[in-house]
Amino acid sequence: MNRRRILFGLLGLGCLAVGTVARGIGPRTTALVSELGGDYVLVAALSGIALLAALPVVVSGRESELQQVETPDPEVPVRAPPAGRDFDETVRGWEYRTPVVGDSTRKRVKTRLRTAAVEAVMRERNCGRSRARRLVRRGEWTDDAEAASFLGSPNRSTLVTALSALPRRRTPAEFRARRAAEAVYAVDGGADR
């Protein structure tokens, strides 16, 4: 139970006891009030009650109950996920690898890779978006035939892709997506960094 509730409960019981006992000592109380003056007794009674009510607040403000949070050191590096982790998790996931179920996921990954390829070609060749899209669609943006076929018009056999993916223990869809991501990274200047 809360300490304040217990204290206020005891204070209330004390007031009730004083009221009950004071009933029997009424004449003595009247004599005391007439000697000291009525205002003094009223102020003293209210001050006593206020002090009793303020006691829990004063006690709760002690230093031992104070909880403070310390700020971390500014030199400590902030943990951030490695670049490409979301891509790796998506491509490695069962939904991407499942032939019929993962169509929407594969389409979403392909769209993001195509957008990244267009932007990389725009930066590398200093051309407009329409020309970069045309280069990506034709497969003229990279020397990697697998990546060009994946993001552009497919002219590479899926049998060749499957045979290339087999020794790496990847599905053809995962293999092609990873090759496309590596090609985008190379075009964007990742090899020089």
Side-chain angles (χ1 to χ4, degrees):
M1 241 182 145
N2 193 355
R3 292 181 201 167
R4 290 180 188 162
R5 288 184 183 174
I6 293 172
L7 187 63
F8 283 127
L10 291 175
L11 181 65
L13 288 174
C15 288
L16 183 64
V18 168
T20 306
V21 171
R23 189 173 177 197
I25 57 168
R28 291 186 205 152
T29 307
T30 310
L32 184 65
V33 169
S34 64
E35 270 187 46
L36 297 175
D39 295 339
Y40 177 76
V41 173
L42 180 63
V43 169
L46 290 176
S47 299
I49 291 173
L51 284 175
L52 284 176
L55 188 64
V57 175
V58 171
V59 171
S60 70
R62 290 185 305 197
E63 232 177 272
S64 65
E65 304 222 357
L66 190 63
Q67 295 178 358
Q68 293 181 349
V69 177
E70 293 183 21
T71 58
D73 293 333
E75 284 90 28
V76 176
V78 177
R79 290 198 174 268
R85 186 173 79 179
D86 290 340
F87 174 79
D88 288 338
E89 288 175 357
T90 302
V91 171
R92 233 184 274 137
W94 67 271
E95 189 174 313
Y96 186 83
R97 293 178 172 198
T98 308
V100 177
V101 176
D103 284 343
S104 65
T105 306
R106 280 193 299 280
K107 202 177 284 185
R108 194 170 53 243
V109 167
K110 192 173 190 176
T111 302
R112 287 183 67 192
L113 283 171
R114 189 176 290 128
T115 303
V118 167
E119 290 174 1
V121 169
M122 286 172 56
R123 282 190 292 273
E124 183 207 21
R125 299 198 182 176
N126 197 19
C127 64
R129 187 172 299 277
S130 60
R131 182 165 185 258
R133 280 188 192 138
R134 196 170 37 252
L135 290 171
V136 170
R137 190 176 340 110
R138 290 181 188 162
E140 299 171 0
W141 62 284
T142 182
D143 295 334
D144 188 346
E146 198 66 58
S149 172
F150 181 66
L151 296 181
S153 55
N155 55 7
R156 190 154 167 94
S157 169
T158 55
L159 180 61
V160 174
T161 303
L163 291 175
S164 299
L166 189 64
R168 293 172 179 83
R169 295 182 181 158
R170 295 180 177 162
T171 63
E174 180 185 3
F175 177 73
R176 294 179 86 192
R178 287 187 184 281
R179 289 286 292 268
E182 290 167 5
V184 168
Y185 181 70
V187 167
D188 204 19
D192 298 337
R193 293 179 196 174

